[in-house]
Amino acid sequence: MTGLSAEHVVDGRDPRSPVLAPNGRLVCHVLAPLSRTGDHLDTELWLVDPDGALASRRATGDTATESRPRWSADSRTLFFLSDRADRGVPQLHGLTLADGTITALTHWRVGVLDHLPLTDPTRVALLAEDEPSERDARRARDRDDAIVVGAREPRVRLRLLDLRTGRVTTPTVFGDRHVVELRQRPDGGPVAVLTWASADNDHGPRTGQLHLFDLGTETVENLGPVEVDARSLAWWRGEDGWHLGYLALTPPVLHAGTAVFDLAVESRVLRNRTAGLPMCPTELCQTDAAPLVVFADGLNTTLARLGPTDLTALAQHPGRLDNLTTTPAGDQVAVLTGTRHEPSNVHVGPPAGPLRRITNTRPELDGVALGTQRPLAYRATDGLDLDGLLVLPVGRTASEGPFPLVTIVHGGPYERYADRCQLFWFPSAQWLAAAGYAVLLPNPRGGQGHGHQFAASVAGRVGQEEWTDILTGIDLLVADGIADPDRLGIAGWSHGGFMSAWAVGQTDRFRAALVGAGVIDWGMLAATGENGQFEAALGGSTGWSGIGPHPHDAVSPISFASQIRTPVLILHGAEDTNVPLGQAVYLHRALRHFDVEHEFVIYPREGHTIRERHHQLDVLRRTRAWFDRWLQP
């Protein structure tokens, strides 16, 4: 066995976006580097025979960003996006399997964002912004480009590509609405179109509407508004006609568990098909019959079939299932999944299982020693059932404790730790386990996998019960002799960064903390973050709620900065629009004011996720060095 290096973590390649051909004979997937070294992420498309009769092969040979593979209905053509001709400007291409010919199908000047092959083999639906007009080009050239918010904002529109002529047309039926997602009815009927009032993430997801677009007449029927943050459209036929389903937040608040909503198209009756379930739907996958639903189910994942009146569980899989794709009949699926000690790969099989691995994209990890990972189940102080994961130091057993313990809080907060391999560029369990740390990965309330109420309970109450949920897990490991109470650390990214900053303002138990892209002031985030109203739902108020103090002040770490004594490592991307850099600057200035030991690192060109290779390496090495400095003897 060999030791885990930072290069093992960042230099691998990940399978993404698998798509199963309608005839079930091939799977195409994107192979993407885990880090980027230049301005563009160079990805590849690979074709895999699920039966193993043919060797896997790369579909293209270009240096390009290739994405969004989709099959034609007859499985003869693979459509995909590639910026091979002009980096950063993706165009639609088609690969003809019979002779291996690749053809550029569009030359849209601003690029194509998404596409949907239609049942009519001569047409493809496209999603793309408007090409610049002569006036736009002149304004850019003359720098007469003042931005008037709400005017001339980019909108993604539905386009239709005629494969016979190469002509792209734009139906003018959605007004100035921003088109988000498309799904054609399985029998070749109309296309369901999901639109927003604008592309603004703070506003758009709250303004969704569904439409039916008739491809023959190019007319549209408006089905009305949808629930907040709708996505993952799917059609199916019931005894009362066609139904159209989607995933969305359970009303009425903007932080909640997701649900499957079922709209009977003729009667316009809308039902929540997953109300009361102790699971959270994450994907809805269309077939020619009943759709398949992927559920986050505690530490694991359940795959189910949505019938006309019931929901039938087909199989529970350990860890996560992502990017589900299926044959039209729904008898075979392809999905990304892995194990506790093996990263995700493409797996295929029947929906009820078993699933077979058909790729091995991280062979460099074979023989690398990882820490033992085991699930935890315990109860909160109010009796609520909780779960999480414990990862032990590499080569050690629980009986050899106590160990220095780092608690890593997940983001979201509507995310979760699933029982999968915990090895990532951001603070991750296996990276710290390789340096001798035990790691707690708790799933406090507010997260995914335990139903709507579990998730909604933190709205306006972040840092309250979810914080005591985390403390309960730490206390459990201390009582069991696994965690050394004098060597505790806490870390997290995004909402996990908020919890880390919150923790050190509430207690001096932690000897070191890492705050990655963390929320420091909920009022400021509601005002400047790209998801402002969603953040306001978590914080409980906004600055315009009247004269303060406001509810969000009571749950913002900055309000408790004077109480912080724990050394803090702050990491943040300079171009982060989700949690803007000002949040980290605010914490840095407060800690400097109160003379608290800390280190503040800004990563140029980076957003909420750190992409560049040297920056990812720096995060890994700096994280471990920080905890070594404060927690190791």
Side-chain angles (χ1 to χ4, degrees), residues 79 85 161 198 407 610:
F79 297 98
L161 168 65
S198 76
T407 299
I610 306 301

Side-chain angles (χ1 to χ4, degrees), residues 32 36 87 96 129 256 320 340 387 480:
R36 191 181 71 224
R87 296 309 305 269
T96 305
E129 294 181 356
R320 288 182 62 132
R340 290 178 183 174
D387 59 39
D480 287 347

Side-chain angles (χ1 to χ4, degrees), residues 150-419:
R152 295 193 299 272
E153 289 184 350
R155 295 287 195 275
V156 173
R157 305 191 194 279
L158 169 65
R159 326 278 177 178
L160 295 174
L161 168 65
D162 189 323
L163 294 171
R164 297 164 298 186
T165 65
R167 184 169 176 248
V168 176
T169 58
T170 303
T172 56
V173 292
F174 299 109
D176 204 34
R177 293 187 67 81
H178 172 71
V179 180
V180 178
E181 188 177 337
L182 309 172
R183 185 73 64 217
Q184 188 173 21
R185 210 167 69 185
D187 66 346
V191 176
V193 182
L194 175 64
T195 68
W196 294 351
S198 76
D200 181 354
N201 281 337
D202 174 54
H203 179 58
R206 297 180 285 126
T207 63
Q209 291 188 5
L210 268 180
H211 317 261
L212 297 184
F213 178 70
D214 188 299
L215 289 159
T217 62
E218 296 196 4
T219 57
V220 69
E221 177 184 0
N222 192 352
L223 297 181
V226 292
E227 301 296 344
V228 174
D229 204 23
R231 57 184 172 84
S232 200
L233 301 177
W235 287 91
W236 67 92
R237 188 191 289 274
E239 292 182 359
D240 55 346
W242 284 100
H243 287 238
L244 187 55
Y246 58 87
L247 303 184
L249 294 182
T250 305
V253 296
L254 294 182
H255 182 77
T258 49
V260 174
F261 290 93
D262 172 355
L263 175 66
V265 174
E266 285 192 22
S267 66
R268 307 292 172 88
V269 173
L270 182 69
R271 292 187 296 158
N272 178 345
R273 296 291 304 277
T274 53
L277 288 182
M279 306 183 291
C280 297
T282 60
E283 296 181 34
L284 186 60
C285 188
Q286 178 173 300
T287 74
D288 286 346
L292 299 177
V293 189
V294 180
F295 285 95
D297 186 2
L299 297 169
N300 302 307
T301 300
T302 291
L303 185 58
R305 193 180 303 279
L306 186 70
T309 60
D310 58 357
L311 185 74
T312 304
L314 301 175
Q316 186 182 72
H317 300 270
R320 288 182 62 132
L321 294 184
D322 294 299
N323 297 130
L324 179 71
T325 175
T326 177
T327 55
D331 57 343
Q332 289 290 310
V333 300
V335 71
L336 295 178
T337 190
T339 70
R340 290 178 183 174
H341 299 101
E342 179 185 281
S344 287
N345 272 288
V346 181
H347 288 65
V348 298
L355 300 179
R356 296 178 291 107
R357 192 185 75 178
I358 61 170
T359 63
N360 181 19
T361 59
R362 301 292 303 277
E364 69 275 11
L365 293 179
D366 294 345
V368 172
L370 298 177
T372 299
Q373 178 173 307
R374 74 185 200 197
L376 296 174
Y378 53 101
R379 285 188 172 176
T381 55
D382 60 2
L384 183 68
D385 288 331
L386 300 171
D387 59 39
L389 298 170
L390 170 67
V391 179
L392 293 169
V394 173
R396 309 293 292 275
T397 64
S399 62
E400 297 177 77
F403 308 105
L405 176 79
V406 177
T407 299
I408 306 177
V409 187
H410 65 63
Y414 195 58
E415 249 298 342
R416 64 164 176 153
Y417 284 117
D419 196 5

Side-chain angles (χ1 to χ4, degrees), residues 84-145:
R84 54 165 64 184
D86 185 5
R87 296 309 305 269
V89 184
Q91 303 291 348
L92 182 68
H93 291 69
L95 166 63
T96 305
L97 290 185
D99 58 10
T101 302
I102 297 176
T103 306
L105 301 173
T106 62
H107 304 279
W108 200 254
R109 278 182 287 164
V110 293
V112 175
L113 298 176
D114 204 352
H115 63 99
L116 176 69
L118 301 170
T119 54
D120 178 351
T122 68
R123 304 173 89 185
V124 177
L126 308 175
L127 293 184
E129 294 181 356
D130 293 336
E131 293 184 301
S133 65
E134 288 299 322
R135 181 188 178 194
D136 294 331
R138 183 177 66 253
R139 292 180 71 245
R141 184 175 59 251
D142 296 342
R143 298 196 175 189
D144 179 21
D145 53 359

Side-chain angles (χ1 to χ4, degrees), residues 253 255 381-382 413 444-447 453-470 495 498-499 502 506 522 534-541 550-557 560:
V253 296
H255 182 77
T381 55
D382 60 2
R445 70 194 76 194
Q453 290 299 331
F454 185 90
S457 63
V458 302
R461 296 190 56 78
V462 286
Q464 305 304 299
E465 290 85 359
E466 63 174 326
W467 167 231
T468 58
D469 291 348
I470 293 168
H495 189 82
F498 154 72
M499 286 304 308
W502 177 261
Q506 307 302 309
W522 288 100
F534 293 88
E535 311 297 0
L538 288 168
S541 61
H550 300 108
H552 68 255
D553 294 325
V555 293
S556 293
F560 301 88

